[in-house]
Amino acid sequence: QVISIHADEADTEVQRTNSDPAFAIPNPSATTLIPGTSGGGSAPFKERCSVIPFQLPDFGPVSNPFDSANLAFGFTGTQGTPIGNLDLYGLGRRQTPTVLTSDYWSTTDTRDPSDATLLQNIDVRVSTPSFVHATGIDFSEDSAAVLKNARIHVSDSVMCYGIKSDNSWPQIKDVTIEVAAGADGRGFEARGGTATLTDSSIVVSGGTSTHGVTTLESGTSVLRDVRVTAEWGVSTNRGVWTSSGAVTLEHVGVTTRGGQRAYSIDNANDSDATLNDVTVVASHGADSNRGIFNHFDAQITATDLIVEVAGVSGSNGYGVLNQESALLTADNLAVRTFGGTGNYGVLNANDGGTVTIDRSTVTGVNSSVRNDNDSADFFVGTSKLVGPVSTHLTCFGNYDASYGGVVCP
């Protein structure tokens, strides 16, 4: 059973007055709530804290009547340039909806010590050119919050994060994240815990480096029906970067372009990536464009993976680059590389690990499949190989663009 509960008409603001009394409720009948700072643009500013009571239904003698709950409210806009974060708390149960001046809590990094429960830290739109770091939403300290139907824009700081998740388990759905950083921009970053993103879009652009989705320090990110774009950073643009973590991508599109390096999926340092129905595009990197970059003992298992890499003059393009003892298993892989100076479909470097490719189509001008490590296994079965093939391959049932049989050297 689903029940909709509307806010009580007693909702109002508690204001810190900077005078005596210290706190007041200036307008109990206001139709719009304004959290944050007000006061005419000059110090001392007056902080406002919005309090929204709800009347809970009476289900009788039931110990835990609720399985889950969602909160939705209308956001009408901002005044001035918002700085800082909004904390969303759940207050304890009471007998009446009356808002008290003691409900005020703000302007501190310390949590509310009362019976309040921190639910979520929110900053929907952040533009802070004078600050080193700016974060849209920060999930931390075992947060299991649910975020739906939100648009997050963060810009102008040296380092910008759309959403950060530290040792938490958030569920994020129908969210648009836009990040434009001065130096390092990250759309979503997970450190520890498990974060799930569905039906969402992430765009990170400009600055020195861009990262669409970053998973670090034993964190796990699960993306379903998500579009990720990282573009036009001067140095490196990474779509999905995983280091010492794990990532699962299902029905996901990843696009990177521009800068010196464009890496759509960068899987490193013992990370484990599972890809299903994923399309990646890497282009316009002046030095290197890599659809899949798997390295430093990482592992990728991919099914129904499409990779397209377009280089520019003087650049090298790799559909899949596997090196430094990394392992790759792919079924129904479609790789096409073109443009630039060097084009390689799937390249196992001289220190790469085992590569297995089945039922795939791989195109590369310099080589379709190439194994530079004569001590590592490279298996290719029942695949269409368009472009030269190297030695040190184990092949079965492969053919070229004219459907002539391909015999591995």
Side-chain angles (χ1 to χ4, degrees), residues 166-204:
D166 293 327
N167 296 308
S168 294
W169 288 261
Q171 297 183 51
I172 302 164
K173 184 175 182 179
D174 292 324
V175 172
T176 298
I177 302 172
E178 300 168 342
V179 174
D184 189 351
R186 304 191 178 193
F188 175 84
E189 180 177 287
R191 295 175 182 264
T194 299
T196 302
L197 290 81
T198 58
D199 301 314
S200 296
S201 172
I202 300 172
V203 178
V204 186

Side-chain angles (χ1 to χ4, degrees), residues 124-136:
V124 176
R125 187 175 183 92
V126 182
S127 179
T128 54
S130 62
F131 286 77
V132 176
H133 295 83
T135 302

Side-chain angles (χ1 to χ4, degrees), residues 320-400:
V320 179
L321 177 58
N322 196 70
Q323 66 184 47
E324 296 146 339
S325 302
L327 307 176
L328 171 72
T329 301
D331 184 63
N332 197 24
L333 168 67
V335 175
R336 185 168 75 105
T337 62
F338 59 94
T341 301
N343 292 285
Y344 305 89
V346 179
L347 172 61
N348 195 40
N350 58 13
D351 54 0
T354 301
V355 174
T356 302
I357 298 174
D358 291 309
R359 300 188 311 116
S360 298
T361 300
V362 183
T363 301
V365 175
N366 294 79
S367 64
S368 55
V369 289
R370 174 172 164 175
N371 186 14
D372 287 348
N373 187 354
D374 58 7
S375 63
D377 291 323
F378 194 130
F379 302 102
V380 187
T382 324
S383 295
K384 183 178 183 179
L385 306 177
V386 183
V389 298
S390 75
T391 57
H392 314 308
L393 302 174
T394 300
C395 299
F396 177 81
N398 301 308
Y399 51 94
D400 60 20

Side-chain angles (χ1 to χ4, degrees), residues 197-252:
L197 290 81
T198 58
D199 301 314
S200 296
S201 172
I202 300 172
V203 178
V204 186
S205 61
T208 303
S209 298
T210 66
H211 305 78
V213 174
T214 302
T215 308
L216 307 170
E217 298 174 7
S218 301
T220 298
S221 295
V222 179
L223 279 65
R224 298 187 179 96
D225 297 296
V226 175
R227 296 293 174 263
V228 180
T229 302
E231 60 186 3
W232 310 124
V234 175
S235 178
T236 303
N237 298 281
R238 290 185 173 96
V240 176
W241 175 35
T242 310
S243 179
S244 302
V247 64
T248 297
L249 308 182
E250 297 179 356
H251 319 304
V252 170

